[in-house]
Amino acid sequence: MSLLEVKDLTTSIVTRRGTVHAVQGVSFGVERGSSVCVVGESGSGKSVMARSIIRLLPREARIVSGSVVFDGTDLRTLPEKRLEDLRGMRIGMLFQDPMSCLNPVLTIGTQITETIRRHLRVPRAEAYKRAVELLGEVRIDNAERRMADYPHQYSGGMRQRVMLAIALSCDPDLLIADEPTTALDVTVQARILDLLEDLRQARGLALLLITHDMRIVERVADQVLVMYAGQIVESGKRKDVLGSPQHPYTEALLGAVPDIDDSGARTSRLTAIPGSPPDLTATLAGCRFAPRCGYARLDDGCASAEVELRAVGAGHLVRSCHPAIAREAKG
């Protein structure tokens, strides 16, 4: 049994413009110690899906249906108090913007130790010692001295490491990382990703990482979920999804990744994805990517045919109404 098993998860958000069907019928699993990357453009439903798992949603949002089972416990039916304990103890969360998550008027040491004391209920001195060890583990130099600093005295990359230390403070089984490197330059991104991988290997940690960057997926993922317009359109092992993409959207995302040679020069032309994602307040039929798809034959059913996930290989699923079109066009 998977550590995390999500089945038919559907989440909606009520807005003035109407109800946004942000996540629709999403199903996947995360094995113990594995790394699962969820990739897609902004607005594809990745973050809402991740927050639905631990029920950290805005007041306007609600989970309409589906189940989220973590180590045999359905998180959807868990009382809020027990869920709060589980979030800190066994499920860690790493958010995109550390500056908005850290309290600017409390020292770094205070913010780490209060998390440890809240969940582990240990004496202050023991929590302090554990916090210093965590800062060292996430590669903050002079960890004990930096405990007395405030968030504004840390760089963006260092603040993200502090958030990682807080997320790992109670030795969770699962870490959910929502775009953890978006606001960082490429050098710092690489350091954070290396750190995540080292910690995952050392702790046997399962990782669910949300990103829009296919280069991160290639570097980190064991399994890949490609989301578009609130749905999973392709999923499978990294080598299958990236090496042999079966959905035109996956192919388009890979085409938008620049190829760089050793000198830093771009070696291929970037292919932009035309158009914009659909309005998720509307009732959508057929393949949701059809209006932007270079292979679409709208008069042949792309815009109206019912589209279901189907197996195209061992553990490789694709939601494509006419997969033969892509193969024909390539041939």
Side-chain angles (χ1 to χ4, degrees), residues 237-246 254:
K237 296 178 181 178
R238 176 183 59 190
K239 65 180 181 64
D240 294 331
V241 175
L242 301 190
S244 180
Q246 297 296 302
L254 289 168

Side-chain angles (χ1 to χ4, degrees), residues 23-300:
V23 179
Q24 299 176 48
V26 166
S27 299
F28 66 94
V30 180
E31 301 293 332
R32 296 177 188 274
S34 70
S35 175
V36 176
C37 282
V38 186
V39 64
E41 294 169 283
S42 296
S44 61
K46 308 183 302 297
S47 293
V48 175
M49 180 273 291
R51 288 172 177 267
S52 296
I53 290 172
I54 53 176
R55 285 167 37 195
L56 275 182
L57 291 166
R59 184 178 303 173
E60 299 81 9
R62 68 185 184 94
I63 300 173
V64 177
S65 61
S67 64
V68 179
V69 178
F70 176 77
D71 200 15
T73 300
D74 191 344
L75 302 187
R76 279 205 63 202
T77 61
L78 205 63
E80 184 64 28
K81 178 63 172 64
R82 286 191 60 198
L83 184 60
E84 287 177 3
D85 292 337
L86 197 65
R87 283 189 198 122
M89 286 288 293
R90 301 196 59 199
I91 304 175
M93 187 80 189
L94 184 60
F95 295 100
Q96 178 176 339
D97 181 10
M99 198 58 188
S100 65
C101 298
L102 293 170
N103 190 325
V105 301
L106 295 178
T107 66
I108 294 299
T110 298
Q111 297 185 63
I112 301 175
T113 54
E114 72 178 9
T115 302
I116 296 170
R117 296 190 70 200
R118 158 71 173 80
H119 291 288
L120 300 183
R121 292 174 170 80
V122 297
R124 189 181 302 275
E126 186 176 336
Y128 181 87
K129 180 181 178 182
R130 171 66 174 151
V132 173
E133 291 173 351
L134 282 163
L135 282 185
E137 194 173 354
V138 298
R139 300 171 189 168
I140 299 291
D141 293 332
N142 302 310
E144 187 161 10
R145 181 175 63 80
R146 300 306 302 266
M147 287 276 286
D149 288 344
Y150 291 86
H152 73 272
Q153 295 173 279
Y154 281 61
S155 67
M158 291 173 69
R159 288 195 292 265
Q160 191 60 283
R161 292 183 213 177
V162 170
M163 289 302 300
L164 180 56
I166 293 172
L168 297 176
S169 61
C170 298
D171 199 17
D173 299 298
L174 171 67
L175 176 65
I176 300 174
D178 187 4
E179 303 269 15
T181 62
T182 296
L184 307 176
D185 66 50
V186 290
T187 303
V188 178
Q189 279 187 16
R191 291 173 183 164
I192 293 294
L193 292 174
D194 285 344
L195 177 59
L196 277 172
E197 183 60 18
D198 289 347
L199 291 170
R200 185 173 75 85
Q201 295 291 341
R203 290 168 171 254
L205 183 70
L207 175 65
L208 178 63
L209 190 144
I210 316 300
T211 184
H212 61 268
D213 191 333
M214 294 300 281
R215 291 169 298 186
I216 292 177
V217 175
E218 186 173 8
R219 181 171 183 161
V220 173
D222 295 325
Q223 298 283 326
V224 181
L225 309 176
V226 182
M227 283 193 72
Y228 183 76
Q231 296 180 328
I232 291 177
V233 296
E234 187 164 0
S235 66
K237 296 178 181 178
R238 176 183 59 190
K239 65 180 181 64
D240 294 331
V241 175
L242 301 190
S244 180
Q246 297 296 302
H247 196 282
Y249 180 60
T250 310
E251 186 179 76
L253 288 176
L254 289 168
V257 177
D259 290 325
I260 306 295
D261 63 19
D262 293 338
S263 68
R266 195 168 68 198
T267 60
S268 64
R269 184 182 181 88
L270 293 181
T271 304
I273 304 175
S276 300
D279 180 1
L280 294 184
T281 63
T283 300
L284 302 174
C287 177
R288 297 183 177 192
F289 188 60
R292 307 174 70 189
C293 178
Y295 302 125
R297 298 175 177 178
L298 300 182
D299 57 341
D300 283 351

